[in-house]
Amino acid sequence: MSVLTTAPGTPADEEPPDAGERHRLTAVTGLAALSLDAMASVAYGPEAIVLVLAAAGAHGLGFTLPVTLAIAALLAVLVASYRQVIAAFPDGGGSYAVARTNLGRRTSLIAAGSLVLDYVLNVAVAVTAGVAALTSVFPALYDDRLWLCLAVLALITAVNLRGIVESARAFIVPTVVFVGSILVLIVVGLFRSEPVSTATAAGHASVLADDATTVGALLLLKAFASGCAALTGVEAIANAVPSFRVPRARRAQHAEVALGAVLGVMLIGLSVLISRFHLQPVEGVTVLAQLADASLGHNWAFYVIQFATMILLALSANTSFGGLPVLLKLLARDNHLPHVFALKADRQVHRHGVLAPAAVSTVLIVFSGGDTNTLVPLFAIGVFVGFTIAQVGMVRHWRTERGPRWRGKALLNGFGGLLTGVAAVVVTATKFEEGAWLIVIALPLLVVAFEAVHRAYARIGERLGLGRVPEHPHRDRSVVIVPVSSLSRLTSEALTAAASLGDEVRAVTVCHPDPEDRSALHALERSWAEWDPGVPLVRLSSERRALGRPIAAYVRDVMASEPAARVTVLIPETEPERLWQRLLQNQRGAVVAHAVRKETDAVICRLRFRLF
């Protein structure tokens, strides 16, 4: 187990200035890498509102635009808030960083856990939703949807393992095509007084209630909470500020504002068209498909939007691969996750932070059978918890800092926290029986896991004396023990290395009671006496067919009889020329190393003798 020994607050992967900047994001590529989740949400956000309001009949659908405007207002509050978060916490982490500084460690872990759950679920939901859109166009592929989901996930994972900039470059074209198509749809639709085509919805049953005429506050809250699913991904840029080029905070702020502006325009524009065309939800056809049909007609433009939506939904999983590795890095830096998540590979890639969510998402996709509806009830709850914690933390931040206009900023964040808190409660309550109870259970368990890892690292740090000045190094008498089974060049190399390491060298061999083994032992002892290497050969008898335990027992005896000596076990092993030839080895070295490591505190040194 490795332990990071950098001072608190110092990144474990400190780099010289300008190192690796070409592998970081600009404001434009940041949008492509980190905003796909939010951009793709326009495919299901307005629809979620319409489906809820449809319970109140045509009168209820009249509230689509007001509810969307309320969501857009919340979006503006969130963008303004996360713009402030980026400036205040340029090391990334979003709501986790805010809560850690202003609300305490336990609250920060709740924020981190909610984000981790949301990011992982976003990967699974995005991939399954994209494949569902594909199978809607090509029904013959429906039975193969699970393998298609896994293939898409493997593709996105592979691209992200090459670096976040590579993923941004790969996904920027689909993003531009999708956003451009939606904006064209909105602009053209605003110039139409009635739908140009209704072919898509023809023959499909309406889900509009017939006899409902009143719209209650609870229904509006439920529509608001459901539509807030369009806000997932807004926090991703604030989580991944270190992934941007310098000046990192400024570029991230520009990307955040651009995301908010584009997303807000698309949400409001689509809602205006829903009201303008008096659109009614029907079974089996998405609201976005109906809008494309009504605005552009049932032609090639309609299919462009459908394919662009399908691709962007699948690729929106990339948002998680952009934001989650940075969050996992911060958790690892604070000793709440294994330190391996803080390591960087080439191209500024946190490989373990990419592979871990990919592995968990694979399990979720297999568990759901590639079905989006199984996963959707679990989705978007965590992000609202993170939103609320971030807003409350920023209120505390402004009250502490008391900078210019701090009261107005605190009021803005407080209002946003109230809205997202209500949304979190409503979403959890309405989806609880559909599967949201799993998140209610998983979040505390994840926090408990973070705490357990932190306690383990605390114990390790205490044993290692991290943070304290250690005693000066000194030289002790050393004994090197070398297991041998025959005479060879490998034996000579091992004894030579041992003599270079220690004051005393002892060769040991294990003898079993079988006649064949005893005969081999006598032959080895005769050859050893003739060779006379100047190193004694110690015979270790074992009644059982064991190899590692007799050597470990001998090491314990040596350490007990010479407590002031440092004991090292040097295990000679061959390294064959071909990888497949390792299968031909007897693995004696691994057996001995395991036994000695398990039963003693001796130093283990494995000498590799190359055969090429």
Side-chain angles (χ1 to χ4, degrees), residues 121 125 368 371-382 427-440:
L121 283 167
V125 170
S368 67
D371 181 28
T372 308
N373 294 328
T374 304
L375 299 170
V376 165
L378 312 178
F379 187 47
I381 296 174
V427 170
T428 303
T430 55
K431 296 182 177 181
F432 188 83
E433 294 182 355
E434 301 176 28
W437 59 271
L438 286 172
I439 302 300
V440 176

Side-chain angles (χ1 to χ4, degrees), residues 56-109:
H59 183 62
L61 292 179
F63 287 86
T64 300
L65 183 56
V67 171
T68 303
L69 290 175
I71 294 173
L74 177 56
L75 171 63
V77 172
L78 289 173
V79 169
S81 175
Y82 277 107
R83 188 175 182 276
Q84 295 165 353
V85 170
I86 290 169
F89 300 92
D91 289 335
S95 58
Y96 168 68
V98 175
R100 183 186 57 193
T101 303
N102 298 291
L103 301 176
R105 185 170 61 88
R106 182 65 59 84
T107 305
S108 72
L109 294 181

